Amino acid sequence: MQEEQTPDLSQMNRPLSTQEVSRYLGLCERQVLRMVHNGQIPAKKFGHNWYYSPRKIAQLVGMLDQ
């Protein structure tokens, strides 16, 4: 079985979806959205969808790994 590699978030040029962020952080989507509403994860809402800066999520992942 081949292990799935996580792309380097800081090199991505497009915003991430809630689903992608939940996979990177190892959380369910509902918990990610709860953290957005609590100000723990920075995000912007366009229409009905939330979008996340790959660089900011990479920083968050780095802080969680420490």
Side-chain angles (χ1 to χ4, degrees):
M1 191 176 346
Q2 195 174 24
E3 204 172 302
E4 188 176 321
Q5 291 185 357
T6 304
D8 183 2
L9 293 178
S10 62
Q11 300 300 315
M12 294 183 79
N13 294 324
R14 64 171 179 77
L16 300 171
S17 68
T18 300
Q19 183 180 30
E20 291 171 314
V21 171
S22 71
R23 275 189 265 138
Y24 291 124
L25 298 180
L27 305 169
C28 69
E29 290 181 43
R30 181 174 279 183
Q31 190 167 1
V32 170
L33 292 172
R34 191 175 303 126
M35 292 175 78
V36 168
H37 291 290
N38 290 335
Q40 297 168 295
I41 296 177
K44 300 246 185 219
K45 189 171 186 180
F46 295 103
H48 295 287
N49 300 313
W50 287 94
Y51 294 97
Y52 309 81
S53 164
R55 287 185 181 91
K56 290 182 181 179
I57 298 301
Q59 289 172 343
L60 185 61
V61 170
M63 289 187 321
L64 292 175
D65 287 342
Q66 293 178 357

